Amino acid sequence: MRVTARTAGQPRRVGEISTRTRVVGPHVTRHLHELQRREPVRRATDPHDQRARLVELTLAGDTAARRHHPPGTAVARSSA
């Protein structure tokens, strides 16, 4: 999910992350709660829809994602 958030280039809704990772929404939400607790991601209110939340990487999350997948390296995508 961290790589998905970094390669997206902008904050994403949970549903978009779910679609990109091909993981069901509730499972993504559970992981995001844990990531938010450990602070590599944060949630922000969607400026276009006050009911929705956007997920974005913190500086620490972006640093970790870059360490594991430096810019310019290919990220394998599952075909399943």
Side-chain angles (χ1 to χ4, degrees), residues 2-78:
R2 283 178 254 168
V3 173
T4 295
R6 185 174 68 80
T7 59
Q10 63 187 31
R12 296 288 181 183
R13 289 183 178 193
V14 172
E16 292 175 277
I17 294 171
S18 178
T19 299
R20 285 173 172 257
T21 59
R22 298 183 182 159
V23 176
V24 294
H27 190 68
V28 170
T29 298
R30 281 192 298 275
H31 280 284
L32 288 173
H33 282 304
E34 179 61 22
L35 290 171
Q36 187 174 9
R37 187 184 69 73
R38 296 186 322 189
E39 300 183 0
V41 300
R42 68 176 154 250
R43 293 180 192 208
T45 301
D46 185 334
H48 303 291
D49 182 350
Q50 297 296 306
R51 299 167 298 169
R53 298 291 177 258
L54 298 173
V55 178
E56 60 187 354
L57 289 175
T58 61
L59 180 59
D62 187 59
T63 300
R66 287 177 187 275
R67 186 172 49 248
H68 293 289
H69 296 282
T73 60
V75 177
R77 295 190 82 129
S78 172

